[in-house]
Amino acid sequence: MKKLTIGTRGSDLALWQANHIKDELAAIGIDAEIKIIKTQGDKILNLRLDKLEGKGFFTKELEEELLGGTIDLAVHCLKDLPTTHPAGLTIAALPPREEASEYLLILKDCVDVTQKLSLKKGAMVGTSSNRRKAQLLGLRPDLEIEDLRGNVPTRIQKLRDEDYDAILIAKAGVKRLNLDVTDLHVEELETTEFIPAPAQGALAIQIRENDTELFEILQKLHDPETAETVTVERKVLNLFEGGCHMPLGCYCKKENGKFEIWTSKAETADHFPERLFLRAESTEGLAEKIVEKFNKDRKKPAKVFISREIGEHSYFRRALENNDIEIEGRSLIRTFPIVTVLDQFILKHVDWVFFSSRNSVEYFFNLKPVLPKKTKFGVVGRGSEDALRKFGHIADFVGESGDITEVAEDFAKLVAGQQILFPRAQDSLQSIQKSLPADAKVIDLPIYETVIEEDIDRSYADVLIFTSPSNVDAYFANNLLEPGQQVIAIGNSTGKKFDEMGVKYALPYSPDEIGLAEAVFGIEMR
C-alpha cells in the first residue's frame, strides 16, 4: 500500500495521538507521515468553547482535507467529533480507550484534605468545560470556577503561575504526554464520582467512506469493546442533541458481562446536575432509556424517607430538593462507645486501618490513636472517606461499588502479609475480614455498639431508604410497607434483610450520597 498521510491538529496531545497511530500502523507494515492542520478551535483562544459558532471546531478542517484527498486518515479525540458525520466520511477504527477519569491538579499550598476533593474552601478552579463546572459545583458549591483555555502543558503552566488554585484536566492527556506533575497535589476523580464527557479517553480514526482497502487494514487497530461502550455514550449525546458545550457526562463500562452506565446532566453549567446509574444486559435501547429518565414530565417520588439524619447542605438533600422531593430523615438506631481508652500498643505495627462505616471512623479517632507513619487507610466507600477526611486523612483505598464482595476482593489484593486493624461495630458482619488472604494479620477492635429505637413511627413516603441492617430491623419490628412504597437498600448486607423478607429493593452502585441520589432518580413510580 502507498505511504499514508495522517491529518492532525498541532497540539502536543494531538501530535502524540497521531504519532501513536503512525507507530501502530508501522507495526502492521504500513508506512505513514503526519500533516498538521490548524482548526478553528486552535485559532480562537480568547473565547470559551461554548461561545464558538457551530460544532466540530476541533475537527471540521481535518474533515475538509480528508474529503479533499490531501490526507488519507484523520486522528481525533472521539469526544471532539460531532455525533453526525459529513457525507462521505466514516470512523474506521476506535483503538483501545485510555482511562477516562479526571485529574484535579492543586497547588500544594491550596490543599485541604479535610475538605471534599482536598481543595481549600473558596478555591479558584480553572476549566472551560460546562460539564466539569456543573459537577464541581454540585460537589463543592463554595468553589469559584474560571475559564481555562490552551493545550495540556499550557493549562498546567497557568496553574504553576498561580493564575488558579487548581485545574481540572483529563487524566489521559497527562498520561499520554508523560507530564511530570509531582510538584502539584494530584486528586484523581473516579468515573463513578465525576462522570467524564461521552467518549473521553477514546481516539477515532476517520477515513473516506469509499476507501474500503484502508478500512480493512485499520480493523487491526480496532477495539470492539471500546466501540461497544463509547457508542452508547455518543448515542446519549446525540439524543440530547448536545455538543461538547452541553453540561453532560456519560460513561459506560462492561463489567461481568453487563453494561454499567453513569449519566450526569445539568440545564446549564450553574445548575445542579441530575445523575443516573443503570445496569443492563445489552446496549439495545439503553441510550433511549437513559434519555427518557431525564424527561421533565416523568413522575418522580414526592417524598423520600431515609434512616439517617441528613445535613442541611448535604449533596443528597440538594439533589432531592432540586427535584422538589421532600426528605424525611431520621435515624432508627443509637450508637454508644464500648471502648473509652485505646491500648496504643496494638497500633505499633499496624499497616492498614480499615473502616466499614462513618461511625467506625468517628469512634476510632475520638480515642486519639497514635499510628505509625507508614499506616494506610482503607474505607468501604466515599461516605466513610468523607468522614476520614474530617480527621485530616486521605484514604489509600476506597471501595468503589456498593457490592461488599467486590470491595473485599479489591482490598484483599493489596494486603497480603500485612497487619490490618478493623475498628468496628460490635454486631458487624465482618465481611471484609472474611475475604482477606490467609497470611493477612487481622486485629479485631469492636469499639461501639448499636441499640435499636423502640416504637418507631411508620413513614408514608413514596420511597424508603435503609442505611443498615439494624435500621431495617428497627423499622419493621412494628411497621409494614404501605401499598406502592418502594425500597432502596444501602449495601449487600442491608439488601439481604429484604431478601429474607421477600421485599424487592434497589441497590445503589455506591453506598454514599451520590449513589443514593442516582438510585432515587432511577426509581420508576407506579
Side-chain angles (χ1 to χ4, degrees):
M1 192 174 191
K2 65 162 190 167
K3 187 173 189 177
L4 299 174
T5 301
I6 301 172
T8 179
R9 295 169 56 213
S11 72
D12 291 346
L13 183 57
L15 286 170
W16 180 94
Q17 291 167 177
N19 278 296
H20 173 68
I21 298 303
K22 181 184 174 184
D23 293 343
E24 292 288 294
L25 287 168
I28 58 172
I30 304 296
D31 197 15
E33 61 184 5
I34 289 172
K35 180 179 180 181
I36 296 172
I37 300 162
K38 271 206 166 185
T39 68
Q40 183 190 19
D42 298 313
K43 295 170 186 173
I44 304 174
L45 297 175
N46 61 329
L47 289 176
R48 283 171 53 99
L49 297 180
D50 58 348
K51 302 300 180 189
L52 295 177
E53 291 295 325
K55 297 179 183 179
F57 29 79
F58 286 124
T59 60
K60 186 181 176 187
E61 288 80 0
L62 275 75
E63 292 178 329
E64 288 172 349
E65 296 231 10
L66 196 51
L67 286 167
T70 54
I71 60 175
D72 299 297
L73 63 153
V75 179
H76 305 280
C77 283
L78 183 54
K79 72 182 179 70
D80 293 336
L81 270 178
T83 54
T84 53
H85 302 292
L89 298 183
T90 188
I91 294 176
L94 300 174
R97 186 183 201 170
E98 181 63 83
E99 290 177 80
S101 53
E102 310 265 20
Y103 273 163
L104 183 64
L105 303 180
I106 309 172
L107 294 175
K108 289 194 173 173
D109 61 358
C110 297
V111 173
D112 181 355
V113 299
T114 67
Q115 299 294 320
K116 185 79 173 172
L117 308 179
S118 297
L119 196 53
K120 71 177 185 180
K121 284 189 176 179
M124 182 191 291
V125 182
T127 179
S128 288
S129 160
N130 287 334
R131 169 189 60 85
R132 287 174 175 150
K133 181 178 180 181
Q135 291 190 62
L136 270 175
L137 292 177
L139 293 170
R140 288 283 306 272
D142 60 294
L143 298 176
E144 288 184 48
I145 313 297
E146 295 292 337
D147 288 349
L148 173 66
R149 289 288 311 275
N151 61 34
V152 174
T154 299
R155 295 182 194 193
I156 294 174
Q157 189 55 50
K158 286 181 179 180
L159 174 61
R160 291 186 171 122
D161 293 341
E162 301 187 9
D163 294 349
Y164 309 89
D165 297 321
I167 64 171
L168 198 53
I169 205 160
K171 178 181 178 178
V174 176
K175 282 190 69 180
R176 284 170 175 163
L177 294 176
N178 196 28
L179 298 175
D180 181 6
V181 289
T182 52
D183 58 319
L184 304 167
H185 176 83
V186 181
E187 193 89 356
E188 183 169 352
L189 309 184
E190 295 296 339
T191 53
T192 57
E193 178 179 25
F194 204 93
I195 303 173
Q200 182 162 309
L203 298 182
I205 304 174
Q206 191 179 36
I207 67 170
R208 288 178 290 278
E209 204 167 28
N210 60 4
D211 199 342
T212 53
E213 183 186 4
L214 181 54
F215 183 90
E216 289 303 319
I217 289 169
L218 291 173
Q219 296 318 292
K220 294 177 181 176
L221 308 188
H222 183 67
D223 180 48
E225 187 164 314
T226 293
E228 204 171 24
T229 53
V230 300
T231 298
V232 177
E233 298 167 19
R234 284 173 58 80
K235 181 77 178 288
V236 169
L237 177 65
N238 178 261
L239 291 172
F240 277 127
E241 299 180 347
C244 56
H245 61 276
M246 177 181 271
L248 174 72
C250 190
Y251 179 69
C252 180
K253 70 174 182 175
K254 198 171 185 180
E255 195 76 30
N256 300 322
K258 293 184 179 180
F259 293 91
E260 297 177 340
I261 185 163
W262 291 259
T263 308
S264 168
K265 183 178 180 292
E267 288 297 310
T268 71
D270 296 303
H271 280 77
F272 193 92
E274 302 280 12
R275 288 182 58 122
L276 177 70
F277 167 72
L278 289 179
R279 187 179 276 118
E281 298 286 343
S282 78
T283 60
E284 188 177 347
L286 184 53
E288 289 82 359
K289 186 175 181 181
I290 289 163
V291 173
E292 179 56 33
K293 289 278 190 181
F294 285 88
N295 187 332
K296 288 181 181 177
D297 297 326
R298 185 172 72 91
K299 189 178 179 184
K300 298 173 185 174
K303 185 175 183 179
V304 170
F305 164 84
I306 181 169
S307 64
R308 176 192 291 165
E309 304 292 337
I310 296 294
E312 186 180 347
H313 303 295
S314 75
Y315 183 96
F316 184 65
R317 180 175 290 279
R318 288 185 293 128
L320 266 60
E321 289 178 348
N322 187 56
N323 281 283
D324 299 319
I325 299 173
E326 185 183 346
I327 301 173
E328 179 189 352
R330 50 189 166 102
S331 182
L332 312 181
I333 60 173
R334 288 174 291 147
T335 59
F336 299 95
I338 56 175
V339 174
T340 54
V341 178
L342 187 60
D343 180 359
Q344 301 289 348
F345 181 78
I346 67 170
L347 307 179
K348 285 189 72 173
H349 303 291
V350 165
D351 298 297
W352 285 86
V353 182
F354 190 94
F355 300 103
S356 55
S357 69
R358 297 166 185 258
N359 284 331
S360 60
V361 175
E362 291 174 9
Y363 279 111
F364 179 70
F365 282 103
N366 287 343
L367 294 170
K368 307 273 190 297
V370 179
L371 292 160
K373 286 187 177 179
K374 66 170 184 175
T375 303
K376 296 179 179 181
F377 297 97
V379 293
V380 74
R382 290 192 291 258
S384 302
E385 179 190 22
D386 290 343
L388 185 62
R389 282 182 180 276
K390 291 175 185 175
F391 293 94
H393 298 287
I394 296 178
D396 300 277
F397 170 85
V398 181
E400 192 176 309
S401 82
D403 188 326
I404 196 69
T405 305
E406 289 180 12
V407 173
E409 288 172 356
D410 291 341
F411 183 61
K413 294 171 188 173
L414 302 177
V415 298
Q418 298 184 62
Q419 196 169 96
I420 310 107
L421 176 71
F422 286 89
R424 64 173 180 86
Q426 196 168 41
D427 59 350
S428 166
L429 297 175
Q430 304 182 58
S431 303
I432 302 291
Q433 294 92 309
K434 292 171 184 174
S435 298
L436 295 184
D439 60 348
K441 303 173 185 69
V442 171
I443 303 175
D444 190 40
L445 185 63
I447 55 173
Y448 72 97
E449 65 176 332
T450 299
V451 177
I452 294 173
E453 298 278 13
E454 296 180 359
D455 300 322
I456 291 166
D457 292 334
R458 76 173 57 189
S459 171
Y460 294 92
D462 303 300
V463 177
L464 307 180
I465 302 175
F466 292 93
T467 54
S468 71
S470 301
N471 276 289
V472 177
D473 287 337
Y475 185 84
F476 289 99
N478 296 305
N479 296 311
L480 297 172
L481 282 178
E482 294 292 313
Q485 281 184 324
Q486 298 194 56
V487 171
I488 294 173
I490 298 186
N492 298 46
S493 55
T494 308
K496 283 176 184 174
K497 284 283 183 182
F498 289 110
D499 288 334
E500 292 165 7
M501 295 162 59
V503 172
K504 289 184 178 179
Y505 60 93
L507 193 69
Y509 179 81
S510 55
D512 59 8
E513 295 200 353
I514 291 176
L516 285 179
E518 290 172 344
V520 170
F521 193 63
I523 286 283
E524 292 282 354
M525 292 306 298
R526 303 186 184 103

